[in-house]
């Protein structure tokens, strides 16, 4: 093998080792045949040089297998969404649009038991007291960083710890501001309100990793303020994916941050109820869009912000609430908020359900997305959101673990996963799904 600077790479060269960015995120696998697109990808991530196979070197088993499957890793960047052919599993028969009434209890994670050492000798040895035997056992050593799952490496990185600290501070600042807004909405200062939120996305690289960051904080109880912060960040990114200008991106961000302000008028015993809501409680919970609109009526904010609060539960097919509007009647910014709102609700830790896999949410969008959401927004969201999970390690519903290596453009929720030396195309496995990112 030889080391070649990125600027000197040529299509057809084969990577001799895995290529990571400076955060330890895998960009290209070992044995990948370079194309113009993958070289451009390396330049985008500021990779200085790469080890490649020299002429005559044997290709790796992984490369041979990839070629046999006709997998082009560069196609990963531009998948197109298609209609779903199979239904994804739903909890208790609920759908993504029913997050207000979906109630599933969270179970405590099991604690692993310590293994006991068994002495080996040619002569019979009397068993030692348990405390003495344990004292002689070497202390378990943490796995090297490079052997840890990506999610664990991310949580231990300085970047994640800094993001988590800034995220908590931004959320607390937003919570304090909301108390003042409710008391005197006429003095609402939008620039001050979203300054902390925008600082979390201060660099282009963070636009790429923010979904990883948020997923790694799913253990946090998702109260109204955390949910609004998440939706705000997602609206910012979706607006960028839609190629909106900076003022439009900023407007989408504030729409996301204030979309659920009406929930501050709903009794906490309903918002935080761990069981299924009664019909009356659900009817009260569903008044929050109107309550939010009423709060913002006197606020010095764009009509789009007020409409996002009122319309983020409306659906393009008229099945939403509170006004049962159809596509042409729904504010475009409310359409953006609706997608981010449902995605975060499904993948977050709520008092009534544990976080679901992002691919469960993607499957739900595939099932009904083109009817309930504006196609231009939902297709852009799905095409880009799946790419944020490329090369992530996942656990399948059969217990196997592997890495996502290819997105199936006709079934985004069912990618191809490499498990050891085998490849599992989930789009051809109707009863096998991604259970969790790990």
């Amino acid at each position: 093998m030889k080391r070649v600077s990125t600027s000197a790479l040529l299509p057809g060269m084969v990577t001799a080792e895995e290529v990571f960015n400076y955060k330890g995120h895998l960009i290209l696998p070992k044995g990948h045949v370079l194309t113009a697109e993958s070289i451009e990808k390396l330049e985008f991530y500021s990779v200085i040089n790469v080890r490649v196979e020299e002429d005559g070197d044997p290709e790796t088993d992984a490369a041979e297998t990839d070629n046999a499957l006709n997998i082009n890793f560069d196609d990963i960047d531009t998948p197109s969404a298609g209609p779903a052919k199979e239904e994804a599993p739903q909890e208790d028969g609920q759908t993504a649009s029913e997050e207000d009434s979906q109630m599933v209890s969270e179970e405590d994670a099991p604690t692993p038991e310590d293994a006991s050492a068994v002495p080996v000798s040619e002569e019979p040895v009397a068993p030692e007291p348990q405390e003495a035997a344990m004292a002689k056992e070497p202390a378990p050593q943490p796995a090297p960083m490079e052997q840890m799952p990506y999610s664990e490496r991310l949580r231990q990185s300085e970047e994640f710890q800094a993001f988590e600290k800034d995220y908590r501070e931004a959320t607390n600042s937003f919570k304090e501001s909301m108390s003042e807004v409710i008391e005197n909405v006429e003095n609402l200062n939008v620039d001050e309100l979203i300054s902390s939120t925008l600082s979390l996305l201060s660099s282009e690289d963070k636009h790429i990793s923010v979904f990883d960051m948020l997923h790694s904080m799913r253990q946090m109880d998702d109260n109204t303020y955390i949910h609004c912060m998440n939706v705000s960040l997602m609206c910012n990114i979706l607006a960028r994916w839609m190629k909106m200008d900076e003022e439009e991106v900023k407007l989408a961000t504030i729409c996301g941050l204030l979309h659920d302000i009406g929930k501050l008028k709903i009794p906490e015993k309903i918002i935080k109820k761990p069981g299924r809501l009664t019909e009356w409680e659900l009817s009260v919970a569903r008044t929050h869009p109107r309550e939010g609109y009423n709060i913002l009526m006197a606020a010095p904010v764009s009509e789009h912000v007020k409409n996002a609060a009122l319309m983020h539960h409306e659906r393009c097919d008229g099945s939403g609430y509170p006004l049962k509007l159809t596509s042409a009647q729904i504010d475009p910014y409310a359409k953006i908020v609706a997608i981010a709102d449902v995605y975060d609700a499904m993948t977050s830790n709520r008092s009534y359900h544990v976080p679901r896999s992002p691919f469960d949410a993607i499957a739900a969008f595939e099932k009904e997305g083109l009817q309930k959401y504006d196609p231009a927004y939902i297709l852009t969201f799905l095409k880009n959101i799946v790419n944020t999970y490329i090369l992530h390690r996942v656990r399948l519903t059969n217990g196997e673990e592997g890495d996502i290596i290819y997105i199936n453009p006709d079934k985004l929720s069912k990618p191809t996963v490499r498990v050891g030396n085998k490849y599992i195309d989930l789009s051809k496995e109707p009863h096998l799904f991604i259970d969790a990112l790990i």
Side-chain angles (χ1 to χ4, degrees):
M1 69 178 67
K2 60 183 177 181
R3 187 179 296 277
V4 179
S5 66
T6 303
S7 61
L9 291 173
L10 296 173
M13 290 181 173
V14 180
T15 56
E17 60 186 10
E18 293 177 325
V19 183
F20 297 86
N21 67 3
Y22 74 96
K23 298 186 303 178
H25 193 159
L26 184 63
I27 301 173
L28 294 177
K30 179 181 178 181
H32 171 66
V33 180
L34 293 173
T35 65
E37 289 78 12
S38 57
I39 294 172
E40 183 179 354
K41 186 175 183 179
L42 293 171
E43 292 172 345
F44 175 81
Y45 283 99
S46 300
V47 175
I48 298 173
N49 49 56
V50 176
R51 288 187 183 275
V52 299
E53 299 286 358
E54 296 188 37
D55 293 340
D57 285 350
E59 294 185 358
T60 61
D61 291 340
E64 292 172 353
T65 308
D66 293 343
N67 292 332
L69 288 172
N70 195 26
I71 293 175
N72 183 349
F73 283 83
D74 301 295
D75 288 342
I76 291 171
D77 287 333
T78 55
S80 58
K85 298 175 183 177
E86 299 151 3
E87 295 187 3
Q90 300 288 333
E91 295 177 358
D92 298 334
Q94 301 295 310
T95 64
S97 58
E98 296 174 318
E99 66 272 16
D100 288 329
S101 61
Q102 185 180 29
M103 314 295 172
V104 180
S105 301
E106 182 176 7
E107 298 178 355
D108 294 329
T111 303
E113 298 180 356
D114 294 330
S116 301
V118 180
V120 179
S121 172
E122 295 180 357
E123 300 292 332
V125 178
E128 296 181 84
Q130 184 177 6
E131 292 184 2
M134 292 178 64
K136 291 186 178 182
E137 293 180 4
Q141 298 297 317
M145 186 68 90
E146 62 273 11
Q147 296 181 13
M148 292 180 181
Y150 170 70
S151 58
E152 184 61 30
R153 295 204 312 272
L154 177 67
R155 281 190 287 269
Q156 294 192 21
S157 69
E158 292 182 3
E159 181 191 17
F160 172 78
Q161 292 168 13
F163 180 90
E164 184 178 31
K165 177 177 178 292
D166 293 342
Y167 175 93
R168 291 179 184 276
E169 290 177 355
T171 303
N172 289 333
S173 175
F174 171 59
K175 182 177 181 179
E176 293 172 2
S177 298
M178 282 299 93
S179 300
E180 299 175 6
V181 168
I182 295 297
E183 294 296 325
N184 195 351
V185 71
E186 294 179 358
N187 291 334
L188 173 63
N189 187 316
V190 169
D191 290 332
E192 289 182 4
L193 187 65
I194 66 170
S195 60
S196 297
T197 306
L198 294 177
S199 68
L200 293 171
L201 297 164
S202 57
S203 69
E204 191 69 26
D205 189 55
K206 287 187 178 179
H207 300 157
I208 300 170
S209 62
V210 69
F211 283 93
D212 292 346
M213 300 288 193
L214 294 179
H215 182 76
S216 294
M217 294 191 294
R218 287 313 194 191
Q219 73 278 7
M220 296 174 64
D221 183 24
D222 185 14
N223 61 36
T224 297
Y225 302 102
I226 290 175
H227 172 62
C228 286
M229 182 63 66
N230 292 351
V231 171
S232 181
L233 294 172
M234 293 179 188
C235 286
N236 180 291
I237 295 171
L238 177 52
R240 292 181 186 280
W241 286 341
M242 293 295 299
K243 308 298 183 185
M244 292 182 171
D245 63 35
E246 285 302 317
E247 283 303 311
E248 291 171 326
V249 169
K250 182 178 175 181
L251 182 54
T253 306
I254 191 65
C255 284
L257 198 60
L258 293 176
H259 81 284
D260 259 353
I261 190 173
K263 283 188 176 178
L264 301 182
K265 293 290 188 178
I266 306 301
E268 277 200 6
K269 65 180 182 180
I270 292 179
I271 296 295
K272 295 184 177 180
K273 182 178 178 179
R276 186 179 295 276
L277 296 181
T278 65
E279 287 189 15
W280 178 81
E281 290 169 332
L282 185 58
S283 68
V284 173
R286 287 188 169 183
T287 64
H288 78 270
R290 290 184 183 275
E291 292 286 0
Y293 184 80
N294 292 336
I295 292 171
L296 295 173
M297 278 288 290
V301 296
S302 165
E303 286 299 313
H304 293 297
V305 178
K306 300 172 185 178
N307 288 339
L310 177 65
M311 303 178 185
H312 65 276
H313 281 290
E314 300 290 353
R315 298 295 179 257
C316 291
D317 61 357
S319 63
Y321 67 90
L323 303 174
K324 295 194 177 297
L325 304 177
T326 55
S327 182
Q329 300 169 304
I330 303 172
D331 189 288
Y333 287 87
K335 293 178 179 180
I336 292 175
V337 173
I339 294 170
D341 178 47
V342 171
Y343 181 83
D344 186 68
M346 292 187 70
T347 58
S348 293
N349 185 24
R350 294 287 177 91
S351 60
Y352 50 83
H353 75 72
V354 297
R356 294 171 63 178
S357 160
F359 286 88
D360 273 356
I362 293 167
F365 280 129
E366 284 185 313
K367 178 183 176 183
E368 57 186 21
L370 294 180
Q371 290 76 43
K372 294 186 177 295
Y373 305 92
D374 190 303
Y377 297 110
I378 193 63
L379 291 177
T380 298
F381 179 79
L382 292 177
K383 180 183 72 173
N384 285 277
I385 191 66
V386 292
N387 285 336
T388 69
Y389 298 117
I390 280 292
L391 302 176
H392 275 46
R393 194 157 189 82
V394 297
R395 181 175 61 248
L396 304 180
T397 48
N398 65 358
E400 291 187 300
E401 297 179 1
D403 302 305
I404 297 173
I405 62 159
Y406 179 70
I407 297 298
N408 291 302
D410 294 326
K411 190 70 173 175
L412 298 175
S413 61
K414 305 273 276 183
T416 296
V417 178
R418 179 161 54 197
V419 179
N421 292 324
K422 67 179 179 179
Y423 293 77
I424 301 177
D425 183 349
L426 295 179
S427 68
K428 298 179 180 178
E429 301 289 341
H431 304 296
L432 191 59
F433 303 89
I434 290 177
D435 183 50
L437 299 181
I438 57 176

